[in-house]
Amino acid sequence: MSVRKKSGRAKPSDPPSFPARVGLRHGAVPGRGRYSVDGLYRSAAMRATLEHGLAGDAQVTRARIDLRTGNLLVEFDRALSHAEMAWRIDRLLAGKCAIPKGAKKQAPAREKKAGGGKPPPVHESPGAKGHAVSAEEALAAVASRREGLGVEEAASRLREHGPNELPVAKPRSDLAVFIDQFKSLPVAMLGGSAAMSLATGSPLDALVTLGVVGANGGIGYAMESGAEKTIHDITGRGEHRVLVRREGAVRDILSREVVPGDVVVLTPGAFIEADARIVEAVGLTVDESSLTGESVPVSKHAGTLDDRDAPLGERANSVFRGTIVDGGSGLAVVMATGADTEIGRIQALTGEARPPQTPIERELERMGRHLVYLSLGVCGGVFALGVARGLGTMPMLKSAVALAVAAVPEGLPAIATSTLALGLGELKKKNVLVRRLEAVEGLGSLNVLCFDKTGTLTQNSMTVESLLVGAETLHLGTDGFGTEDGHADLKRHEMKKFLEVAALCSEVKIEENGNGPLFHGSPTEVALVDLAARGGVDVAAVRGDNPVDRVAYRTESRKFMVSRHHRLSEEKISLAVKGSPDQVLQRCRVMEVNGSLAALDGEARSKILAENERFASEGLRVLGLAYSHDPANAPEEPKDLIWLGLVAMKDPLRGGMADLMAEFHKAGIRTVMITGDQPATAYAIAREVGLAGAAEPVIVDAAKLDGLSPEAFRGTVAGGNVFARVSPARKLEIIRALQETGMRVGMTGDGINDGPALRAADVGIAMGQGGAQSAQDVADVVIRDDDLTTLGAGIAQGRATYANIRKAIHFLLATNLSEIAIVAAETMAPGDQLESPMEMFWINLVTDILPALGLALEEPEQGIMSVPPRDPEAPMFTADYYKMLASEAGIISAASLAAHGYGLLRYGPGPRTRSITFSTLIGSQLLFALSCRHDRFHGLSGGGLFGNKYLNGTLTAAGALQILPLAWPPLRRLLGLAPIGISDGLVIGGSMLASFAGTEYLLARRTMKNAGPQPVA
């Protein structure tokens, strides 16, 4: 809504009110406003005046004018208020200087202050060019420091800058949704029909035409507004929490509380909630695909860039709102929040939010246009032929109007959106949350499903099974370490250090309660800390004696984590390390055995690696542990470590995984596992779940993919079932390689490292309870209860939704074609009386919307998960499909015309004959809806015909509406009909049954021809 305020003329020194002819439409961002200007709509002269005047205003950096909307977007000095800018626009329109007398031109003053150099664009936030200055200068620009802001200072800035929230685009209003129902070409054609009726002296026909247009608009409005409400209720995400430094301490705050100057702690999986300049980075990579479109994670650093105008994708020392930390760690000072961020500026340009058209909607819109063009051609041809035969211009015009009405499928525009929305609702009942309408279609066409292992196929609840400490292997059972008290032998120095490293190299938080400590963190780290506690180590005391100083997180290339600790004595640990056994072992110089240090020679290394392989072959996740006493040892590149041993953990499979894989294979869906685990571990899990069916899983170590040509890469990926030791970037490449081979790929995952692949997949599927928030934010589908077995039901529903749309459209097209054929045939019959436009409207009103909605609510057919998925590249409607439509429409038309012929022979042209034709056509079309329930012939049993209670209800309602004009004289006279007798009723019933038998015969013949598994419709 435009903001307009009238008052007396304001002084330049006071905040002026808004002029009468300039209103503010969007002003959430200081220094950026969208204004509505009276008279600007399609006025090139006014645009020239404003462009020339604003170009000469030193405090205006950019102006963009849209003559289609009459709106003006201006970026200007943040020192100006939106009202002051509005008055400058108004003065330009009045032919005066934009800057009021007495106002100061501030831009030259800034130039002088800057030493005469070119000033930075004044509309930008203080940190918009933070990448072009050093980290210390960036901190100074927002009056901050590495220790972070003070609590009171942060609260003051929050009041000054407002919450860190993006402008929220308003959804379409109810009025806009209603008006949109009348913007299609079919509706325009009906409007033309109404005008033609009025011109030919049939005002009642014109009134009824417009009334039916309004009624269809109302039905479409009810369906589409309900669909949008369903989408709005289902989609969206909750607010994130952010780690920031306040007064030197790390605090966990709501994202809306972040302010400029906050120092944000960047850790893997962190969702970045503001634009910030990096001041520290260790192996930091960020997924910026939501902003730049570059889906490969980008490496970041804290250095200075020389290019002041570097595009966003090249600002390697900055992070931006809406992106996700993929790996590594760092610190960044916030330069812009909320609407001042890059993504905020983009979102501020969005005036209204509307779900994008799905592929089905686009295809139906295109088909609707083609149908209108076809009907116009037929109407023109029939009109010309009738006039040439001497049937008269006026009767033929009326015939053309009736034919046009018969051709327009009024229910077509709303069917796709409504059916998809109904599919959303059904999936929600199954705890499958779908964020995009397109994903409903996409689920049904998937032919490859890629699974992450941990947290997806498994429960992500780790328990330690075995240890290799020094030279001794321990298998932990129900009695713990096998000792009398269940604790470890802490007199063994290597065992004591092993458990201390397990307790220290983690970010697990400890909560004390009356029943002992509770550990909160990732399942792997909780399992390790719990191991230390069960072994007899006082975890809190160890942490107190070895306070953490710094953490270097694992990255794509460095698959281990290092924690650095304040070394309070010679015996204390300086570095604690855990991670990939082979990489940790490479950085070790010696090992602890029996309380003393021993050389790590080739034989010792071989024994450790062999034990690692043995553990992994049992499906266990294996980590290596090491430490260092040397305080000079850098956590980013540790070396000369002391090897302690291996810890092997088991993550139990989720229930029903083997049956689920079998279900997918039966449905023609290939299953693939992509994991960071070792090949032996991945192979054991793949065998256990039956990932490759009865065949042996083909294991591909990610290292073997290095250096392959694109063709060889695609070939290797196409033949693999399991991809092991895969980094997030490589996971993304595997997804894309599968897509390049023509596959429709679904990716399921729950972790931080799954984000890029989830975004790139045709359908990204995340876990809702145990999954990372960052994974849920980029996914198209979220399984809310983490029960992966519901994914099968989701795919079945996706297939059913697509099939239901096709069934509804099939019904609409065939019945409308039958109406075209009947009107055309009556037109060509000498002396015949034509169906009136009002009759055709009534037929469409009764037979279009209600049965189509009933078909849209069809349950998934039995066996829908026993056939291959449809080819997503195949068109919805093929030449063979149109031939089938023509055959079915021909049968319905033939039955109706046969009844029409009976009426002509018995009664001649007139209301009685029209009643017989009218009733036969409607009845045949309603029975045809039963034939549209299935793509294959299911026999004539009650379940095969009447198994859809929603369709039964809509057909009953439509049948009652069909009887109404025959039973109610006022409506009968309006439609030009007459009562029918018993013999007429028998003819009508016989013709309807003949039509139904004919369409069922075609369905049976098509079923026999296409015997065998067929792709889902």
Side-chain angles (χ1 to χ4, degrees), residues 437-453:
L437 283 179
E438 284 185 333
V440 182
E441 299 178 51
L443 277 172
S445 63
L446 293 179
N447 43 29
V448 176
L449 267 174
C450 297
F451 297 91
D452 174 57
K453 180 185 76 70

mmCIF file with all atom_site columns, all heavy atoms in Angstrom, residues 437-453:
data_model
loop_
_atom_site.group_PDB
_atom_site.id
_atom_site.type_symbol
_atom_site.label_atom_id
_atom_site.label_alt_id
_atom_site.label_comp_id
_atom_site.label_asym_id
_atom_site.label_entity_id
_atom_site.label_seq_id
_atom_site.pdbx_PDB_ins_code
_atom_site.Cartn_x
_atom_site.Cartn_y
_atom_site.Cartn_z
_atom_site.occupancy
_atom_site.B_iso_or_equiv
_atom_site.pdbx_formal_charge
_atom_site.auth_seq_id
_atom_site.auth_comp_id
_atom_site.auth_asym_id
_atom_site.auth_atom_id
_atom_site.pdbx_PDB_model_num
ATOM 1   N N   . LEU A 1 437 ? 5.669  -27.337 -4.922  1.00 0.00 ? 437 LEU A N   1
ATOM 2   C CA  . LEU A 1 437 ? 4.730  -28.122 -5.707  1.00 0.00 ? 437 LEU A CA  1
ATOM 3   C C   . LEU A 1 437 ? 5.460  -29.030 -6.690  1.00 0.00 ? 437 LEU A C   1
ATOM 4   O O   . LEU A 1 437 ? 5.060  -30.171 -6.925  1.00 0.00 ? 437 LEU A O   1
ATOM 5   C CB  . LEU A 1 437 ? 3.785  -27.189 -6.474  1.00 0.00 ? 437 LEU A CB  1
ATOM 6   C CG  . LEU A 1 437 ? 2.654  -26.528 -5.679  1.00 0.00 ? 437 LEU A CG  1
ATOM 7   C CD1 . LEU A 1 437 ? 1.841  -25.633 -6.593  1.00 0.00 ? 437 LEU A CD1 1
ATOM 8   C CD2 . LEU A 1 437 ? 1.761  -27.551 -5.021  1.00 0.00 ? 437 LEU A CD2 1
ATOM 9   N N   . GLU A 1 438 ? 6.546  -28.522 -7.287  1.00 0.00 ? 438 GLU A N   1
ATOM 10  C CA  . GLU A 1 438 ? 7.279  -29.317 -8.267  1.00 0.00 ? 438 GLU A CA  1
ATOM 11  C C   . GLU A 1 438 ? 7.789  -30.618 -7.669  1.00 0.00 ? 438 GLU A C   1
ATOM 12  O O   . GLU A 1 438 ? 7.938  -31.614 -8.371  1.00 0.00 ? 438 GLU A O   1
ATOM 13  C CB  . GLU A 1 438 ? 8.452  -28.514 -8.821  1.00 0.00 ? 438 GLU A CB  1
ATOM 14  C CG  . GLU A 1 438 ? 8.043  -27.453 -9.830  1.00 0.00 ? 438 GLU A CG  1
ATOM 15  C CD  . GLU A 1 438 ? 9.246  -26.776 -10.444 1.00 0.00 ? 438 GLU A CD  1
ATOM 16  O OE1 . GLU A 1 438 ? 10.299 -26.733 -9.786  1.00 0.00 ? 438 GLU A OE1 1
ATOM 17  O OE2 . GLU A 1 438 ? 9.137  -26.307 -11.576 1.00 0.00 ? 438 GLU A OE2 1
ATOM 18  N N   . ALA A 1 439 ? 8.084  -30.604 -6.368  1.00 0.00 ? 439 ALA A N   1
ATOM 19  C CA  . ALA A 1 439 ? 8.629  -31.801 -5.735  1.00 0.00 ? 439 ALA A CA  1
ATOM 20  C C   . ALA A 1 439 ? 7.605  -32.928 -5.692  1.00 0.00 ? 439 ALA A C   1
ATOM 21  O O   . ALA A 1 439 ? 7.977  -34.100 -5.662  1.00 0.00 ? 439 ALA A O   1
ATOM 22  C CB  . ALA A 1 439 ? 9.120  -31.483 -4.329  1.00 0.00 ? 439 ALA A CB  1
ATOM 23  N N   . VAL A 1 440 ? 6.306  -32.610 -5.679  1.00 0.00 ? 440 VAL A N   1
ATOM 24  C CA  . VAL A 1 440 ? 5.277  -33.654 -5.721  1.00 0.00 ? 440 VAL A CA  1
ATOM 25  C C   . VAL A 1 440 ? 5.378  -34.412 -7.029  1.00 0.00 ? 440 VAL A C   1
ATOM 26  O O   . VAL A 1 440 ? 5.342  -35.645 -7.068  1.00 0.00 ? 440 VAL A O   1
ATOM 27  C CB  . VAL A 1 440 ? 3.872  -33.047 -5.549  1.00 0.00 ? 440 VAL A CB  1
ATOM 28  C CG1 . VAL A 1 440 ? 2.820  -34.140 -5.556  1.00 0.00 ? 440 VAL A CG1 1
ATOM 29  C CG2 . VAL A 1 440 ? 3.785  -32.248 -4.263  1.00 0.00 ? 440 VAL A CG2 1
ATOM 30  N N   . GLU A 1 441 ? 5.519  -33.673 -8.137  1.00 0.00 ? 441 GLU A N   1
ATOM 31  C CA  . GLU A 1 441 ? 5.736  -34.321 -9.430  1.00 0.00 ? 441 GLU A CA  1
ATOM 32  C C   . GLU A 1 441 ? 7.050  -35.080 -9.434  1.00 0.00 ? 441 GLU A C   1
ATOM 33  O O   . GLU A 1 441 ? 7.137  -36.212 -9.913  1.00 0.00 ? 441 GLU A O   1
ATOM 34  C CB  . GLU A 1 441 ? 5.779  -33.281 -10.543 1.00 0.00 ? 441 GLU A CB  1
ATOM 35  C CG  . GLU A 1 441 ? 4.524  -32.463 -10.728 1.00 0.00 ? 441 GLU A CG  1
ATOM 36  C CD  . GLU A 1 441 ? 4.735  -31.441 -11.829 1.00 0.00 ? 441 GLU A CD  1
ATOM 37  O OE1 . GLU A 1 441 ? 5.176  -31.829 -12.919 1.00 0.00 ? 441 GLU A OE1 1
ATOM 38  O OE2 . GLU A 1 441 ? 4.482  -30.251 -11.596 1.00 0.00 ? 441 GLU A OE2 1
ATOM 39  N N   . GLY A 1 442 ? 8.107  -34.412 -8.905  1.00 0.00 ? 442 GLY A N   1
ATOM 40  C CA  . GLY A 1 442 ? 9.438  -34.993 -8.960  1.00 0.00 ? 442 GLY A CA  1
ATOM 41  C C   . GLY A 1 442 ? 9.540  -36.321 -8.237  1.00 0.00 ? 442 GLY A C   1
ATOM 42  O O   . GLY A 1 442 ? 10.227 -37.236 -8.695  1.00 0.00 ? 442 GLY A O   1
ATOM 43  N N   . LEU A 1 443 ? 8.868  -36.460 -7.099  1.00 0.00 ? 443 LEU A N   1
ATOM 44  C CA  . LEU A 1 443 ? 8.906  -37.713 -6.355  1.00 0.00 ? 443 LEU A CA  1
ATOM 45  C C   . LEU A 1 443 ? 8.433  -38.885 -7.216  1.00 0.00 ? 443 LEU A C   1
ATOM 46  O O   . LEU A 1 443 ? 8.983  -39.982 -7.139  1.00 0.00 ? 443 LEU A O   1
ATOM 47  C CB  . LEU A 1 443 ? 8.033  -37.606 -5.102  1.00 0.00 ? 443 LEU A CB  1
ATOM 48  C CG  . LEU A 1 443 ? 8.650  -36.946 -3.871  1.00 0.00 ? 443 LEU A CG  1
ATOM 49  C CD1 . LEU A 1 443 ? 7.593  -36.740 -2.803  1.00 0.00 ? 443 LEU A CD1 1
ATOM 50  C CD2 . LEU A 1 443 ? 9.797  -37.772 -3.321  1.00 0.00 ? 443 LEU A CD2 1
ATOM 51  N N   . GLY A 1 444 ? 7.419  -38.633 -8.014  1.00 0.00 ? 444 GLY A N   1
ATOM 52  C CA  . GLY A 1 444 ? 6.861  -39.716 -8.820  1.00 0.00 ? 444 GLY A CA  1
ATOM 53  C C   . GLY A 1 444 ? 7.709  -40.122 -9.997  1.00 0.00 ? 444 GLY A C   1
ATOM 54  O O   . GLY A 1 444 ? 7.494  -41.193 -10.572 1.00 0.00 ? 444 GLY A O   1
ATOM 55  N N   . SER A 1 445 ? 8.684  -39.285 -10.397 1.00 0.00 ? 445 SER A N   1
ATOM 56  C CA  . SER A 1 445 ? 9.480  -39.597 -11.584 1.00 0.00 ? 445 SER A CA  1
ATOM 57  C C   . SER A 1 445 ? 10.907 -40.008 -11.247 1.00 0.00 ? 445 SER A C   1
ATOM 58  O O   . SER A 1 445 ? 11.714 -40.229 -12.153 1.00 0.00 ? 445 SER A O   1
ATOM 59  C CB  . SER A 1 445 ? 9.518  -38.370 -12.509 1.00 0.00 ? 445 SER A CB  1
ATOM 60  O OG  . SER A 1 445 ? 10.163 -37.286 -11.887 1.00 0.00 ? 445 SER A OG  1
ATOM 61  N N   . LEU A 1 446 ? 11.238 -40.138 -9.964  1.00 0.00 ? 446 LEU A N   1
ATOM 62  C CA  . LEU A 1 446 ? 12.604 -40.510 -9.594  1.00 0.00 ? 446 LEU A CA  1
ATOM 63  C C   . LEU A 1 446 ? 12.924 -41.918 -10.072 1.00 0.00 ? 446 LEU A C   1
ATOM 64  O O   . LEU A 1 446 ? 12.130 -42.844 -9.901  1.00 0.00 ? 446 LEU A O   1
ATOM 65  C CB  . LEU A 1 446 ? 12.775 -40.449 -8.074  1.00 0.00 ? 446 LEU A CB  1
ATOM 66  C CG  . LEU A 1 446 ? 12.691 -39.064 -7.424  1.00 0.00 ? 446 LEU A CG  1
ATOM 67  C CD1 . LEU A 1 446 ? 12.853 -39.202 -5.916  1.00 0.00 ? 446 LEU A CD1 1
ATOM 68  C CD2 . LEU A 1 446 ? 13.737 -38.129 -7.992  1.00 0.00 ? 446 LEU A CD2 1
ATOM 69  N N   . ASN A 1 447 ? 14.115 -42.095 -10.660 1.00 0.00 ? 447 ASN A N   1
ATOM 70  C CA  . ASN A 1 447 ? 14.564 -43.444 -10.992 1.00 0.00 ? 447 ASN A CA  1
ATOM 71  C C   . ASN A 1 447 ? 15.899 -43.801 -10.342 1.00 0.00 ? 447 ASN A C   1
ATOM 72  O O   . ASN A 1 447 ? 16.393 -44.904 -10.519 1.00 0.00 ? 447 ASN A O   1
ATOM 73  C CB  . ASN A 1 447 ? 14.640 -43.661 -12.513 1.00 0.00 ? 447 ASN A CB  1
ATOM 74  C CG  . ASN A 1 447 ? 15.260 -42.490 -13.236 1.00 0.00 ? 447 ASN A CG  1
ATOM 75  O OD1 . ASN A 1 447 ? 16.089 -41.786 -12.665 1.00 0.00 ? 447 ASN A OD1 1
ATOM 76  N ND2 . ASN A 1 447 ? 14.860 -42.271 -14.473 1.00 0.00 ? 447 ASN A ND2 1
ATOM 77  N N   . VAL A 1 448 ? 16.481 -42.862 -9.591  1.00 0.00 ? 448 VAL A N   1
ATOM 78  C CA  . VAL A 1 448 ? 17.663 -43.142 -8.778  1.00 0.00 ? 448 VAL A CA  1
ATOM 79  C C   . VAL A 1 448 ? 17.475 -42.468 -7.425  1.00 0.00 ? 448 VAL A C   1
ATOM 80  O O   . VAL A 1 448 ? 17.094 -41.300 -7.361  1.00 0.00 ? 448 VAL A O   1
ATOM 81  C CB  . VAL A 1 448 ? 18.959 -42.617 -9.426  1.00 0.00 ? 448 VAL A CB  1
ATOM 82  C CG1 . VAL A 1 448 ? 20.140 -42.842 -8.486  1.00 0.00 ? 448 VAL A CG1 1
ATOM 83  C CG2 . VAL A 1 448 ? 19.227 -43.305 -10.754 1.00 0.00 ? 448 VAL A CG2 1
ATOM 84  N N   . LEU A 1 449 ? 17.715 -43.209 -6.355  1.00 0.00 ? 449 LEU A N   1
ATOM 85  C CA  . LEU A 1 449 ? 17.686 -42.652 -5.010  1.00 0.00 ? 449 LEU A CA  1
ATOM 86  C C   . LEU A 1 449 ? 19.063 -42.826 -4.384  1.00 0.00 ? 449 LEU A C   1
ATOM 87  O O   . LEU A 1 449 ? 19.559 -43.951 -4.276  1.00 0.00 ? 449 LEU A O   1
ATOM 88  C CB  . LEU A 1 449 ? 16.630 -43.344 -4.147  1.00 0.00 ? 449 LEU A CB  1
ATOM 89  C CG  . LEU A 1 449 ? 15.243 -42.695 -4.099  1.00 0.00 ? 449 LEU A CG  1
ATOM 90  C CD1 . LEU A 1 449 ? 14.287 -43.590 -3.324  1.00 0.00 ? 449 LEU A CD1 1
ATOM 91  C CD2 . LEU A 1 449 ? 15.290 -41.318 -3.466  1.00 0.00 ? 449 LEU A CD2 1
ATOM 92  N N   . CYS A 1 450 ? 19.689 -41.713 -3.999  1.00 0.00 ? 450 CYS A N   1
ATOM 93  C CA  . CYS A 1 450 ? 20.993 -41.744 -3.350  1.00 0.00 ? 450 CYS A CA  1
ATOM 94  C C   . CYS A 1 450 ? 20.806 -41.528 -1.849  1.00 0.00 ? 450 CYS A C   1
ATOM 95  O O   . CYS A 1 450 ? 20.075 -40.619 -1.441  1.00 0.00 ? 450 CYS A O   1
ATOM 96  C CB  . CYS A 1 450 ? 21.902 -40.658 -3.923  1.00 0.00 ? 450 CYS A CB  1
ATOM 97  S SG  . CYS A 1 450 ? 22.260 -40.871 -5.682  1.00 0.00 ? 450 CYS A SG  1
ATOM 98  N N   . PHE A 1 451 ? 21.470 -42.351 -1.064  1.00 0.00 ? 451 PHE A N   1
ATOM 99  C CA  . PHE A 1 451 ? 21.331 -42.288 0.384   1.00 0.00 ? 451 PHE A CA  1
ATOM 100 C C   . PHE A 1 451 ? 22.671 -41.969 1.041   1.00 0.00 ? 451 PHE A C   1
ATOM 101 O O   . PHE A 1 451 ? 23.689 -42.563 0.695   1.00 0.00 ? 451 PHE A O   1
ATOM 102 C CB  . PHE A 1 451 ? 20.827 -43.622 0.953   1.00 0.00 ? 451 PHE A CB  1
ATOM 103 C CG  . PHE A 1 451 ? 19.476 -44.021 0.481   1.00 0.00 ? 451 PHE A CG  1
ATOM 104 C CD1 . PHE A 1 451 ? 19.320 -44.810 -0.650  1.00 0.00 ? 451 PHE A CD1 1
ATOM 105 C CD2 . PHE A 1 451 ? 18.339 -43.603 1.154   1.00 0.00 ? 451 PHE A CD2 1
ATOM 106 C CE1 . PHE A 1 451 ? 18.074 -45.183 -1.096  1.00 0.00 ? 451 PHE A CE1 1
ATOM 107 C CE2 . PHE A 1 451 ? 17.080 -43.972 0.718   1.00 0.00 ? 451 PHE A CE2 1
ATOM 108 C CZ  . PHE A 1 451 ? 16.944 -44.757 -0.415  1.00 0.00 ? 451 PHE A CZ  1
ATOM 109 N N   . ASP A 1 452 ? 22.652 -41.023 1.955   1.00 0.00 ? 452 ASP A N   1
ATOM 110 C CA  . ASP A 1 452 ? 23.750 -40.910 2.895   1.00 0.00 ? 452 ASP A CA  1
ATOM 111 C C   . ASP A 1 452 ? 23.583 -42.050 3.899   1.00 0.00 ? 452 ASP A C   1
ATOM 112 O O   . ASP A 1 452 ? 22.467 -42.532 4.110   1.00 0.00 ? 452 ASP A O   1
ATOM 113 C CB  . ASP A 1 452 ? 23.684 -39.544 3.593   1.00 0.00 ? 452 ASP A CB  1
ATOM 114 C CG  . ASP A 1 452 ? 24.714 -39.419 4.687   1.00 0.00 ? 452 ASP A CG  1
ATOM 115 O OD1 . ASP A 1 452 ? 25.896 -39.591 4.373   1.00 0.00 ? 452 ASP A OD1 1
ATOM 116 O OD2 . ASP A 1 452 ? 24.334 -39.170 5.839   1.00 0.00 ? 452 ASP A OD2 1
ATOM 117 N N   . LYS A 1 453 ? 24.669 -42.500 4.501   1.00 0.00 ? 453 LYS A N   1
ATOM 118 C CA  . LYS A 1 453 ? 24.559 -43.625 5.438   1.00 0.00 ? 453 LYS A CA  1
ATOM 119 C C   . LYS A 1 453 ? 24.182 -43.167 6.840   1.00 0.00 ? 453 LYS A C   1
ATOM 120 O O   . LYS A 1 453 ? 23.118 -43.497 7.348   1.00 0.00 ? 453 LYS A O   1
ATOM 121 C CB  . LYS A 1 453 ? 25.874 -44.414 5.483   1.00 0.00 ? 453 LYS A CB  1
ATOM 122 C CG  . LYS A 1 453 ? 25.823 -45.610 6.451   1.00 0.00 ? 453 LYS A CG  1
ATOM 123 C CD  . LYS A 1 453 ? 27.144 -46.298 6.573   1.00 0.00 ? 453 LYS A CD  1
ATOM 124 C CE  . LYS A 1 453 ? 28.109 -45.513 7.440   1.00 0.00 ? 453 LYS A CE  1
ATOM 125 N NZ  . LYS A 1 453 ? 27.736 -45.500 8.872   1.00 0.00 ? 453 LYS A NZ  1
#
